[in-house]
Amino acid sequence: MPTELRTRAISRGTFLRSGLALAGGALGAAALGSGPLGATDAEAATSGAGAAAPAKAASPVQLPTSWKGTAFTAPLPSTHDGYIASWTALYGAGPLTSLSAKKVAQADGISNFLPYGEYEQKERFTPHVAGAVHLDGGPVRIRFVGNKGRKFTAEAHLVRSADPKSPALLLHVLGKSATSLVLPKGSPIVWGTPPVTSLSKLKTADAREVLEQGVGFSFGEDGPNPAHSSRATVLDGGRHIVGSVRFPAHGTRVTRRWFGTAVRADGGWTYLVAELPKS
């Protein structure tokens, strides 16, 4: 494993700034702001309270039985269930299966952690990582202690991304319920934010953008987004999405189906998106 990992953290703020650039096909760092995205806190609370049971799909999507009990089959999360703070690609790290506590603490998105709703550094937080994180091994707890007295408890997951050469760290800040985020093992998982103000307003084109955005951020190259979605479907009034994405893998371009589920993120709603098995 290299002594220094090249990383790129995708936070809620990054998505806010880069939405237009990705929609236009660019992955460069000089992205212009796209304005506020996602539901407001009040809307999120209302939506979460009204979704006590798992949603029924508007069209049949056969999910793997191993996904039962994960975030992809769970009820719509409430404001008490925490939120996704960042998704950090470990570019070029290769087939690593674990990351030490020290490396986790040094990763972008964790070393420079910002609390909910803050997009500039008002307080410096030191991450205290409980131990090494393992691929498909579940989360490792992180205690963020600020130099002004604030404390936050979070968890980091080491997951596969769309790029086989670049795994990723997903940071989930625990809410009052202290509910851990459960993810399916062995499935590449990315993160994309919709360019709409509420889930019910999501259109097919928006779903394609979410898929392309999430898959595209798995790759470290600047320039055109290497991911392209040819078709997508919005399910359950925006609760889920599904679609095909073409992207480079193992020296060629492949087409895979991806399934997304709405989760809370810093500032509103976002989508966790997992690759469906080829079978």
Side-chain angles (χ1 to χ4, degrees):
M1 187 174 67
T3 57
E4 183 178 351
L5 291 173
R6 186 166 60 96
T7 67
R8 184 184 185 188
I10 309 302
S11 66
R12 176 71 179 179
T14 303
F15 276 135
L16 295 179
R17 294 188 295 272
S18 64
L20 279 183
L22 278 173
L27 270 172
L32 297 176
S34 59
L37 308 176
T40 63
D41 285 347
E43 181 181 0
T46 302
S47 299
K56 295 181 179 179
S59 62
V61 176
Q62 188 66 41
L63 298 181
T65 56
S66 60
W67 287 23
K68 184 178 180 180
T70 70
F72 293 89
T73 59
L76 196 66
S78 74
T79 55
H80 300 293
D81 295 329
Y83 62 93
I84 304 295
S86 65
W87 182 95
T88 303
L90 309 177
Y91 292 126
L96 63 81
T97 57
S98 65
L99 205 62
S100 69
K102 181 179 179 180
K103 289 291 187 181
V104 172
Q106 293 173 342
D108 198 11
I110 295 176
S111 62
N112 53 358
F113 167 76
L114 294 175
Y116 188 95
E118 297 180 17
Y119 300 113
E120 60 182 23
Q121 200 79 52
K122 298 180 180 179
E123 182 175 6
R124 178 65 61 181
F125 289 88
T126 300
H128 298 272
V129 185
V133 64
H134 299 273
L135 192 67
D136 297 328
V140 60
R141 286 293 175 96
I142 302 177
R143 185 70 167 166
F144 290 99
V145 180
N147 60 357
K148 295 182 180 180
R150 288 188 293 174
K151 298 179 181 179
F152 297 89
T153 301
E155 58 186 16
H157 299 254
L158 182 62
V159 300
R160 293 168 174 81
S161 77
D163 182 359
K165 299 178 182 178
S166 304
L169 278 174
L170 181 69
L171 181 65
H172 175 247
V173 179
L174 298 180
K176 293 181 180 179
S177 68
T179 301
S180 183
L181 187 70
V182 181
L183 301 175
K185 296 181 179 181
S187 300
I189 295 174
V190 298
W191 181 23
T193 295
V196 292
T197 56
S198 68
L199 299 181
S200 62
K201 295 181 180 179
L202 194 76
K203 305 299 183 183
T204 299
D206 301 327
R208 289 201 303 269
E209 180 179 331
V210 168
L211 297 174
E212 291 177 352
Q213 182 188 72
V215 172
F217 270 126
S218 298
F219 300 86
E221 299 85 357
D222 291 332
N225 187 347
H228 174 69
S229 177
S230 58
R231 60 182 181 273
T233 303
V234 178
L235 308 173
D236 322 316
R239 173 69 179 92
H240 299 105
I241 59 175
V242 65
S244 298
V245 183
R246 186 171 176 80
F247 59 97
H250 302 293
T252 185
R253 292 187 67 82
V254 299
T255 300
R256 299 284 187 266
R257 291 185 77 216
W258 294 74
F259 182 82
T261 186
V263 295
R264 285 189 55 77
D266 186 357
W269 295 107
T270 190
Y271 286 89
L272 276 183
V273 185
E275 183 182 316
L276 289 165
K278 286 183 289 185
S279 59

